[in-house]
Amino acid sequence: MAWGPLHPRLRGGSALALLLVLVVLLMAYTAHHQVRQPSRRGGNQLLDTRHVEEHQTRHVLFFNRVPKCGSEMLVLLLQWLQARDGFRHVRLKNTVKRYLTLDQQAAMVEEIGERIQESTEPRVSFDRHVYFTNFTSYGFKMPIYLNLVRDPVEKMASRFYYARATPRPGAATPPGYTSSTPPRYTSLEECLRYQDPECTFLTGHHYDLTIPYFCGHEDFCRELNNEAALNLAKRHVEAWYPVVGMLEEVNATLAVLQHHLPHYFAGVLDLYHKELLAAPHYNRNKQRPPTSHEVETALKTNLSLEYDFYNYLKQRLSRQFQELPVN
């Protein structure tokens, strides 16, 4: 079950002269169409824009959400927009598992293909907490990828205090809910002081941070401060993510989404300001204290490449926003 034909494999000619001509033409072509193709270890293989277009379908949007970055807000907007903009939004299950084996990746891609076949709408969007997945490895075209990011320290602090609240901050505890063993430390300052693994980040160790959601399921993608993971994440962004938004820049994010992905986000700015801002935010943890200078200083040092990636995405979004046509 495929979403469209993939490009045929290139076949070499038998004549040396023909081969040389093809090489020269290829070099001239790639000089004008340089989009980095991600390799398994962050190599420098080049991929032209025509190849990206042939391998990506505009009829499928995949929001592979980074946790604690405002993703519920964007999902809610997609759910409200689907009837107005003529697409269907599907929330995939099993969001607890973000790192997938090859078989699990294949099963997820197959599930998405089945939901597309079932839909009567011309376009379908999906969301799930999951690392970047190469759909072409399973015979499918790539979807339009989408994501939101957040300042790494703020994201980490949000996750820390979210784990210490009810299953859904601001909502009533479900009947029969039994809380797990209380965490050892109630504040990030205390957690850092005792160097607890929950809030201590060591280079080379595996963590569920932001980069893996753009890098992929390879082991090195989860290694903290791995240069190959950072480079591969950036190349995936350039090739497959027309927009990566930022929680700190909601208006710019929505404006860029509205311009670059109008089939899914037409009218999103108006909807956000007139409807969503007035709605209750059930996922907001109002009991969370502000991040202290002590915490910010300690964590920023250990999350250096996470900040490199965050700043790269911030500059990219800022550039896209500045390039929007003035109405």
Side-chain angles (χ1 to χ4, degrees), residues 144-159:
I144 300 171
Y145 265 100
L146 167 68
N147 223 317
L148 280 175
V149 297
R150 185 181 189 177
D151 178 277
V153 169
E154 285 298 304
K155 182 171 74 73
M156 185 269 168
S158 178
R159 176 178 280 188

Side-chain angles (χ1 to χ4, degrees), residues 171-192:
T173 303
Y177 171 77
T178 302
S179 61
S180 57
T181 304
R184 185 174 181 182
Y185 304 110
T186 58
S187 73
L188 262 176
E189 287 77 8
E190 187 181 18
C191 185
L192 284 167

Side-chain angles (χ1 to χ4, degrees), residues 1-7 54-57 59-60 106 109-118 135-143:
M1 176 181 356
W3 307 336
L6 297 180
H7 73 296
E54 289 176 352
H55 282 72
Q56 189 174 53
T57 174
H59 302 289
V60 182
V109 173
E110 190 72 18
E111 178 188 1
I112 289 175
E114 291 172 356
R115 302 301 289 268
I116 292 170
Q117 295 294 329
E118 296 169 358
F135 284 57
T136 63
S137 298
Y138 305 97
F140 290 76
K141 284 195 171 186
M142 294 287 283

